Amino acid sequence: MSNPIVEERSARLYVGEKGVARVSDLIKVVPGMFGRVASWLKSNAGDVKFGPSLIRYTTTGVGGDTSNMEMHVGFFVSGPVSALPAEFVQYELPAGKYLVGTHKGCYSGLFEANRHFFDWAQEKNTAFDAQKSDDGSVCWAGRAEIYVESSETGQPDPAGWITELAVRLA
């Protein structure tokens, strides 16, 4: 995991499936969500291009359980998509200054990469654009894992996969 850097980013439109899962269940839940969204986009998005994939974490610690994550799992899209199924959303990852770290390697290293990212941010007294609720859950204005290079983008070797961790700053 690289040490994070601050980047100014433009808003990016995406389509995703809404879901809630425990951290330990992400490996079981997320691939199916990516598959459903990709399949739907291929069949229904017309000329709209999509990719790379992302998980946008909208709320962590859902219901006071620190391991529960509310998320949107999907793909950036080149333009608006209409007539989405009820379980899908179309939002923008908002513009702004983001703290961005890069993880290279298999997804199994992402838990440790996230730990390093947030430990580094805490050491630097970084303030994120997030609101903490009374139950301990945190609502994030912009927090995402963006799968820049993966098997979906034609990189077959997990050692070459690149994932960006991006969190909007306050």
Side-chain angles (χ1 to χ4, degrees):
M1 171 80 184
S2 67
N3 279 337
I5 60 170
V6 175
E7 289 184 358
E8 187 73 36
R9 293 198 163 190
S10 300
R12 291 183 74 185
L13 187 65
Y14 69 89
V15 170
E17 183 178 347
K18 298 182 284 187
V20 177
R22 297 178 67 80
V23 171
S24 59
D25 293 334
L26 289 177
I27 194 71
K28 295 178 244 174
V29 173
V30 168
M33 295 172 79
F34 277 134
R36 286 187 292 277
V37 176
S39 177
W40 189 88
L41 286 169
K42 285 176 188 171
S43 298
N44 298 282
D47 292 335
V48 174
K49 294 179 178 26
F50 64 95
S53 57
L54 79 151
I55 300 175
R56 179 179 183 185
Y57 297 103
T58 56
T59 308
T60 55
V62 176
D65 181 346
T66 58
S67 66
N68 276 342
M69 314 284 266
E70 185 176 271
M71 64 200 153
H72 302 158
V73 176
F75 297 86
F76 289 111
V77 291
S78 63
V81 178
S82 59
L84 293 172
E87 66 273 17
F88 288 5
V89 294
Q90 181 168 233
Y91 285 118
E92 282 186 342
L93 192 60
K97 287 188 179 181
Y98 280 77
L99 188 65
V100 179
T102 302
H103 167 72
K104 187 170 183 182
C106 187
Y107 300 146
S108 63
L110 281 174
F111 183 82
E112 181 63 26
N114 271 281
R115 189 189 61 73
H116 173 80
F117 179 90
F118 284 102
D119 286 351
W120 186 93
Q122 186 174 19
E123 287 173 16
K124 304 295 184 195
N125 295 315
T126 304
F128 293 115
D129 190 354
Q131 301 295 319
K132 192 168 189 173
S133 299
D134 290 340
D135 69 357
S137 62
V138 179
C139 296
W140 300 91
R143 178 181 173 189
E145 289 178 358
I146 301 165
Y147 304 99
V148 179
E149 293 288 336
S150 66
S151 57
E152 296 168 347
T153 64
Q155 173 54 267
D157 182 4
W161 293 352
I162 297 172
T163 305
E164 287 181 346
L165 308 178
V167 182
R168 190 170 135 161
L169 298 172

